[in-house]
Amino acid sequence: DAKTTQPTSMDCAEGRAANLPCNHSTISGNEYVYWYRQIHSQGPQYIIHGLKNNETNEMASLIITEDRKSSTLILPHATLRDTAVYYCIVRVDFLDDKIIFGKGTRLHILP
Amino acid sequence: KAGVTQTPRYLIKTRGQQVTLSCSPISGHRSVSWYQQTPGQGLQFLFEYFSETQRNKGNFPGRFSGRQFSNSRSEMNVSTLELGDSALYLCASRSDGRAGYGYTFGSGTRLTVV
């Protein structure tokens, strides 16, 4: 079973920041938080990942709480092309060679 | 560089037939995984191959099998197809052994069993 809990769906206005929460209260010390998204009829796309510290790349920012029991993916300026299902995943990288996907959050960007 | 390539893109088969799907990973990637996606069950892990060896297997019946070739290309086979095997089959590759690297997925093969 997936070790994460995410809202089923969220709306965000175009141009605003989209903040997607994820709870992972049973995360282990050696597990990373990964985010993927899946745009309709395409394969999942890697967005970002982190262990303890906040991370930022050209796509998004990842904020991980100090106790690591939850995180937030931030899309700073959402566009219509960001409409997708977003998956938050925890996994031990390098040793664990499978991804256990949950149901994810369906993000709707509103024009 | 080229991404993960899956062929064919779409496939229609009849119950009882068998099917073979192909996946070409990103050049240099040695790990290839397969996933099944259905509306009811979501994304589920099938198996993972590295250097022609199956390293990990999900909870699927023996009708689902796979293999990897020396050039890292992979195939999965489903025998005695059932209606419930209709799904999007996704392949993912990654450069193994380097912590912090995620998977790159292909666009998938959509299999319809009639």
Side-chain angles (χ1 to χ4, degrees):
Chain A
D1 289 347
K3 298 179 65 174
T4 61
T5 304
Q6 299 177 253
T8 303
S9 67
M10 292 182 63
D11 293 337
C12 178
E14 190 177 16
R16 306 297 289 267
N19 296 278
L20 291 89
C22 179
N23 287 320
H24 31 80
S25 58
T26 61
I27 191 170
S28 302
N30 59 349
E31 286 183 313
Y32 287 76
V33 179
Y34 274 79
W35 283 84
Y36 284 80
R37 73 179 182 183
Q38 187 174 23
I39 296 171
H40 183 61
S41 295
Q42 297 182 21
Q45 176 190 24
Y46 165 81
I47 301 173
I48 199 168
H49 74 280
L51 184 62
K52 295 181 183 177
N53 300 320
N54 298 337
E55 302 287 345
T56 296
N57 63 21
E58 64 278 3
M59 288 183 67
S61 295
L62 174 60
I63 308 297
I64 303 174
T65 58
E66 193 169 340
D67 64 7
R68 303 213 319 127
K69 292 185 177 182
S70 66
S71 60
T72 301
L73 177 74
I74 301 172
L75 307 178
H77 305 287
T79 70
L80 296 177
R81 284 178 291 184
D82 292 321
T83 294
V85 177
Y86 287 77
Y87 297 98
C88 170
I89 297 149
V90 297
R91 55 188 292 266
V92 177
D93 196 46
F94 179 47
L95 297 176
D96 188 359
D97 296 306
K98 63 181 178 182
I99 303 173
I100 299 177
F101 287 91
K103 300 295 185 184
T105 295
R106 187 171 296 275
L107 177 66
H108 300 276
I109 305 300
L110 307 175
Chain B
K1 58 183 176 183
V4 177
T5 303
Q6 290 189 246
T7 57
R9 194 76 174 85
Y10 300 92
L11 204 51
I12 300 176
K13 288 287 189 179
T14 304
R15 272 182 301 176
Q17 287 187 311
Q18 71 155 12
V19 67
T20 299
L21 312 181
S22 178
C23 172
S24 294
I26 289 174
S27 177
H29 285 194
R30 296 186 296 169
S31 169
V32 174
S33 301
W34 289 89
Y35 290 80
Q36 180 197 65
Q37 186 172 29
T38 60
Q41 298 298 318
L43 276 157
Q44 293 187 289
F45 172 78
L46 280 158
F47 28 66
E48 187 260 350
Y49 286 87
F50 177 74
S51 290
E52 303 178 64
T53 300
Q54 186 181 89
R55 288 202 299 193
N56 212 338
K57 189 177 190 303
N59 188 27
F60 279 81
R63 299 185 298 107
F64 292 81
S65 63
R67 59 177 176 169
Q68 187 180 33
F69 302 95
S70 58
N71 61 358
S72 293
R73 190 177 71 84
S74 177
E75 290 181 346
M76 69 161 283
N77 183 277
V78 187
S79 62
T80 318
L81 284 166
E82 301 176 359
L83 295 179
D85 297 333
S86 295
L88 180 66
Y89 289 89
L90 292 157
C91 167
S93 75
R94 76 166 184 166
S95 175
D96 192 65
R98 300 172 68 183
Y101 277 72
Y103 287 88
T104 301
F105 282 81
S107 295
T109 293
R110 185 163 295 282
L111 171 66
T112 302
V113 182
V114 297

